[in-house]
Amino acid sequence: MSLIEDAARRLEELRRAGAALPDDVQGSPRTAKPNGETPLPEALVAAMESKRAESGLLSGHAVHDRTPAADRPSARAVAAVDRLSARAPIRHIDLNLERLRTFGFVTPDVPTSQTADEFRVVKRPIIRNALGKADERVKHGNLVMVTSALPGEGKTFTSINLAMSVAMEYDSRVLLVDGDVAHPSMPSILGTPHAPGLLDLLTRDDIDVADALVKTNVERLTLLPAGSRQRRSTELLASEQMAALLRELSSRYPDRIIIFDSPPLLATTEARVLAAHMGQIVMVVAANATTQHAVQHALSTIENCDIVLMLLNKAGQTDVGTYYGSYGEEGAH
Ligand SMILES: Nc1ncnc2c1ncn2[C@@H]1O[C@H](COP(=O)(O)OP(=O)(O)O)[C@@H](O)[C@H]1O
Ligand SMILES: [Mg+2]
């Protein structure tokens, strides 16, 4: 019996034994907030285009359809199945939606705003590629990496807004992963705990995936924090453990869009390895800031992903948000 068959059999046994498998998507009812007017940032999205790799990216870079060895079952993936089958308490936090609005974020209690409208446009192709009809779906389309060439271009801003926007869809569920593990943003912006999270899942066998997830008061939005920092946190993003976890998340949650707030492509080589496992990549380009050369260079580092969506972010046009810190050398705790 193969490892996967073995894992499937074990799951079936658990089900027959009456064990409820963890379901982190049952968010509690969202908290109603007063619909007070809050200042919104300037327009976010000016343009977005989806390019199949075959048609060439901006740099003319061709993306190869090399199916990674990643599709082979691994002991780690099976371990993840085991972990998913375990019952475990799942954390919950109430996001401060009013505070998020002051940072310029989309929140479900104020569904109409300029930013909300813009992200409504942005999310459409992403949802279609991930969850659309069979002929619209792309391989691992529910794994969505939000990245950019350099720090400070709006990856986190985009990730959170995209996640909020997708969660506001009636039948879309979303898992937002704090994947810029050297510079996690969720704790300061969303108030999430640092750990356990992604890095813990990659380095420890004694915690369940469900232990690392954080439900929120935004229905259908679940978070995965970055986790306990290690000396070489970012390197773990390029590990086989990460590849196995991605495969597992993608297949265990096929009806959920998993959004990765990620490190910049030109700052770390690991981000490029991570990109190779993704079904879709959202490349944030900061208007009037990212140079054409940087965009082309960043695009040229992407391999193995057919869908690259360009998002022009008019960052820096407002004074919202103070959470961004400089992208320095990564250090250990
Ligand atoms: N469209 C936007 N409108 C207003 N402020 C923005 C916008 N995009 C980014 N920012 C601000 O710019 C700073 C850097 O953005 P951030 O998303 O943290 O960048 P990154 O994650 O790429 O390093 C933050 O303070 C954020 O609030
Ligand atoms: Mg960030």
Side-chain angles (χ1 to χ4, degrees), residues 41-44 103 105 148 150-158 180 185 189 261-262 313-318 320-324:
E42 287 298 310
L44 172 74
F103 281 145
F105 291 108
S148 74
L150 299 163
E153 295 181 307
K155 293 177 290 298
T156 298
F157 189 85
T158 300
D180 194 354
S185 300
I189 303 173
D261 182 11
S262 310
N313 182 26
K314 295 186 176 176
Q317 293 198 348
T318 71
V320 296
T322 54
Y323 59 82
Y324 176 69

Side-chain angles (χ1 to χ4, degrees), residues 51 56-62 292-293 295-301:
K51 287 170 178 281
L57 303 176
L58 289 185
S59 60
H61 170 73
Q292 190 180 348
H293 177 259
V295 176
Q296 288 180 339
H297 188 186
L299 287 171
S300 73
T301 67

Side-chain angles (χ1 to χ4, degrees), residues 83-104:
R83 289 186 302 187
L84 281 162
S85 71
R87 299 191 72 172
I90 297 172
R91 294 169 294 171
H92 181 285
I93 60 159
D94 276 341
L95 301 176
N96 184 337
L97 301 182
E98 209 169 324
R99 178 170 175 270
L100 286 174
R101 275 200 305 280
T102 66
F103 281 145

